[in-house]
Amino acid sequence: MATDIATRAGRREWIGLAVLALPVLLISIDVFVLLLALPHLSADLGANSSEQLWIMDIYGFMLSGFLVTMGTLGDRIGRRRLLLTGAAAFSVASVVAAYSTGPEMLIASRALLGIAGATLAPSTLALITTMFKDPRQRSAAIGVWFMCFMGGAAIGPLVGGAMLEHFWWGSAFLLGVPAMVLLLVLGPIVLPEYRDTKAGRLDLASVALSLAAVLPLVYALKELAKDGWAPVPLAALAAGGAFGTVFVQRQQRLEHPLMDLKLFRNRAFCTALGGMFAGTFLMGALMLFITQYLQMVQGLTPLKAGLWMLPAVVASGISFGLAPLAARFVRPARLIGGGLSVSVVGLLLLVAADVSGGLPYVVTGFALINLGAGPLVTLGTDLVVSSAPPEKAGSAAAMNETSGEFGYALGIATLGSIGTIVYRGQIEDTIPAGTPGPAADAAREGITGAATAAADLPARTAEALLAPAREAYVSGMHVAAVIAAVLLAGVAVLAVRLLNHVPPTGTAPPEPAAADAAEATEADTADTADTAAKFAEGAEGAEADGDESPASEPVRA
């Protein structure tokens, strides 16, 4: 009992969580505001279509490319130090972006924002594991963290519309600056420092290989999602895969690797990480279908579409908040499996949506998808970061974020391509006779092209073109939703089977001998004698499921 009291977080830790969560909230808002600000800044800066794409995409490229590096770097130099450095860089880059005088300057500042942003998620999640030792408090803290992210998604369109109505487009980039300044002021006071003093030097060759692997892969997935199979994206995909293979081989040889592949020996870590990848792959891509359905099929403005998406955001917040509480009494495997089953029902509701009366089905289905995703996101993230030894938490958090980025990009590329194939196959024979050739060609490319072309046609001709385009798009969404539902049901079954050994967070820690036996079963490399000693001493990491013992003691401040 004394040990439990000693490891429970107090007021300082919860204040620290608020300091960590506020930047996440405002950065989430910032992303959605930028979507609304893009037409304004493009007109002001004279950005062409290619430059507009780079303005939007360069942030994601840099973020994905540097996540693994920054997560491991935080473990080496100190997570708080990296977080504060990243916050300062993010603030400076935001100001530069806000006052950019040309597209090239804005693209460069967005690239710096992506690199700085890569320090935030791994550092904040790793610091949460440092501050919240108690499993129940830790899962609740992670739930709060995700609720703030989704809260930003909810109010982003509303804030963006209000700001762009009264201020210039650069104000979109300044939203996160006050939060970063607050983090820089309060961070040294309320956040602990933690670093692995025996981690060794950062292997620069591994950093270069990771960038050479991740950046081409992200580029290829984005291009495949937009334009389908083409030689350049396929070449980038092959190059990224080749560099990724070399990267993995190098990590296996290094004494202090950039990515510790031994983490994958832990069944809970692997299952949770794979589940996060599959979840974002299958459910994240459907968000793109839904947003386009609201605007292109139902004809809603971006602001009204955002309002109709609020039920899903509220459902996410409820799910993120309740999942950690339920996990005190119910095994995470059952919560994750049950939640994914709810998401499957939501996906199947999308199949019932048609062109004319489908809005209630889409809104309800999207809300159920998000409601069911809460246990996977919160408990899965908790399993990933808590299954790793304390000194590897930053690296584990970076892997978690990277898997989500790749899952989302791959899901859009795969399910988006399937939807496009269905769309093009159906609309080919339904374009009305007499439609001008350029308009017909644009409609064959996608529903966005059909809407753009219809804007220049007479009202009757435009409606005749849009009607089959909407029907074709809904058919593509139906096929993607059915595929996602079937595969997600399989993920739910696997999660229940592979994570069933993980107890509820309210369960008392096992006796040392029992823990040793369980860990020996999970991984042959576990040092059971050392684990038993750490249980007796009440040290951190004793509950790790098959992980190696920490290489060093934490450095705190």
Side-chain angles (χ1 to χ4, degrees), residues 65 128 219 249 262 298 396 544:
I128 286 175
Y219 168 79
Q249 292 174 344
K262 294 177 182 177
Q298 294 296 321

Side-chain angles (χ1 to χ4, degrees), residues 417-446:
S417 296
I418 292 173
T420 300
I421 291 172
V422 174
Y423 172 90
R424 291 175 179 173
Q426 182 170 324
I427 201 174
E428 183 64 36
D429 300 326
T430 57
I431 294 178
T435 301
D441 291 339
R444 292 187 184 97
E445 290 299 313

